[in-house]
Amino acid sequence: MSIEPTTELPKLGLRERGKLEKRRRIKQAARAVFLDKGYEDATQADVAIGTLFVYAKDKRDLLMMIINDDLDQLNEELAGQPWEGPLIDQLATFFGRRYAYWASEPRLARPAVQETFDFLSRATGQGQETARFYGRRARIGELLESIIAAKQRAGRIGGAHAVADIASLCMTIYLTEVRRWLNDDDPQVDAGVARLRKLLALALSGVQPADGEANA
């Protein structure tokens, strides 16, 4: 459950390299514990790394530490996409990358999505990694809004509704669907994205009768 870095990191001093190495070992140890014991049964104390509390406040923070770097990189890769074609295709690609990431290790993805299902509201009592996760919501919103706004400017979708509202609706559908999908014993990316695409298309088209159809 990781994304290979696409850019070369700048040269770091000994102190910075030491911090990165400690972080890497904590992430590695936490991942191994969660996969071995299961997230619910694991405790923070099971991750026997010195100065652990400097890096993670609680078990949820450890889980967020595992996924945060990957999701940040995923967002940056999405930001560099040309985003051409119909809006529904672009949304399927945007969210499909997340489906592919979550499917790479469902045993970690399930508790991560469950723990962060309150994505659209303000959380309190956060550790630094959990706060970092919630802070990412603004970046995701910006990316979605930029895709939708471009379609409005091009006249490909109507302009009667605010871009932010459309993006929020799409995100809400994704959050509900990805949680349902991950409850499958063996979540398949293609099947999950196909259902998400169907619901997003319904949201974008609406359920009003077409011209010439009788009212229900």
Side-chain angles (χ1 to χ4, degrees):
M1 188 173 181
S2 63
I3 299 175
E4 293 298 326
T6 57
T7 57
E8 184 178 352
L9 293 175
K11 292 184 178 180
L12 302 174
L14 183 61
R15 181 183 180 87
E16 289 75 16
R17 289 201 302 271
K19 288 181 178 179
L20 287 177
E21 174 60 19
K22 174 64 71 62
R23 179 185 174 83
R24 185 195 65 79
R25 290 194 291 114
I26 290 174
K27 287 171 61 177
Q28 184 180 50
R31 178 183 283 107
V33 167
F34 290 153
L35 292 179
D36 179 47
K37 292 192 172 185
Y39 178 73
E40 293 298 329
D41 293 332
T43 68
Q44 191 175 19
D46 290 325
V47 185
I49 298 289
T51 67
L52 172 61
F53 289 93
V54 173
Y55 294 84
K57 175 183 177 180
D58 51 28
K59 184 169 69 171
R60 181 175 64 173
D61 227 29
L62 278 173
L63 184 62
M64 296 302 101
M65 177 184 285
I66 293 173
I67 69 174
N68 269 334
D69 292 343
D70 290 344
L71 291 179
D72 280 345
Q73 183 174 330
L74 190 153
N75 282 343
E76 292 312 304
E77 291 175 358
L78 289 172
Q81 292 280 343
W83 299 117
E84 298 175 349
L87 177 59
I88 188 62
D89 291 344
Q90 295 178 4
L91 292 174
T93 298
F94 183 89
F95 291 116
R97 289 292 306 279
R98 282 177 159 71
Y99 271 71
Y101 175 69
W102 295 129
S104 67
E105 186 46 79
R107 290 175 295 174
L108 293 180
R110 291 185 184 106
V113 170
Q114 179 65 36
E115 286 283 349
T116 59
F117 190 61
D118 192 26
F119 189 83
L120 298 177
S121 66
R122 183 178 299 276
T124 59
Q126 303 167 344
Q128 61 182 0
E129 291 293 336
T130 304
R132 180 181 164 200
F133 179 90
Y134 280 95
R136 190 182 294 109
R137 80 185 78 176
R139 179 57 173 157
I140 297 173
E142 289 172 359
L143 290 172
L144 270 177
E145 289 178 21
S146 68
I147 295 170
I148 295 165
K151 290 303 177 187
Q152 279 193 342
R153 289 193 300 270
R156 300 293 296 275
I157 63 173
H161 301 288
V163 168
D165 290 341
I166 300 172
S168 179
L169 175 60
C170 293
M171 193 68 196
T172 300
I173 293 172
Y174 159 73
L175 286 171
T176 302
E177 269 303 295
V178 75
R179 186 171 181 236
R180 181 204 59 78
W181 168 73
L182 278 170
N183 282 330
D184 293 345
D185 291 337
D186 183 22
Q188 297 297 307
V189 175
D190 289 346
V193 174
R195 177 173 166 82
L196 176 67
R197 181 190 179 100
K198 180 179 180 179
L199 294 179
L200 288 171
L202 176 60
L204 293 175
S205 65
V207 295
Q208 295 297 322
D211 291 344
E213 290 184 346
N215 290 330

